[in-house]
Amino acid sequence: GYLSVLSECLSGAGQNAFGVAAIEVWTLQKNELVRSRDGYWRDPVFPETPNLERLENTSHPQHVATERLVPGLGVAGTIWADVYGNTKLGKWFDLKQLSQDEDQ
């Protein structure tokens, strides 16, 4: 099905991008951004950290589940709001700066 194709595409895109640590796919559904099921890939070269384990391991006692986002909130929502309607491809974002923004 499409989930296995999505998973294969993410893996292929990430492994051939040289330096990409992870990829997420979000879709807009009824004015909310939702991370697609199986829409996450992390390069196994990058070691698992305690924080990554909390994000990736759903059985972890302190698991942080992916939430729906309103465009403009959270890292994915901020990127979506900034790029929406922009015809330029390949825009770079400082994810460290976004992650430290108190409003996110």
Side-chain angles (χ1 to χ4, degrees):
Y2 85 92
L3 291 177
S4 63
V5 172
L6 175 61
S7 183
E8 288 177 37
C9 288
L10 291 178
S11 178
Q15 288 175 355
N16 294 306
F18 304 108
V20 170
I23 300 173
E24 284 186 314
V25 175
W26 292 76
T27 58
L28 185 65
Q29 299 176 7
K30 299 180 182 177
N31 297 321
E32 290 183 318
L33 290 167
V34 179
R35 192 172 88 186
S36 300
R37 198 169 112 217
D38 289 342
Y40 175 80
W41 171 86
R42 178 176 54 89
D43 191 334
V45 170
F46 291 90
E48 188 174 278
T49 65
N51 286 336
L52 279 176
E53 186 178 5
R54 290 178 57 212
L55 293 172
E56 296 174 345
N57 182 355
T58 57
S59 63
H60 190 282
Q62 295 177 334
H63 174 67
V64 178
T66 303
E67 298 178 358
R68 293 174 175 263
L69 299 172
V70 176
L73 296 178
V75 173
T78 299
I79 292 172
W80 185 91
D82 195 55
V83 174
Y84 183 76
N86 187 349
T87 57
K88 288 182 6 180
L89 297 177
K91 183 171 182 176
W92 289 91
F93 292 90
D94 183 343
L95 294 180
K96 183 175 182 179
Q97 181 182 356
L98 281 173
S99 69
Q100 294 172 345
D101 185 343
E102 293 177 5
D103 294 328
Q104 297 303 321

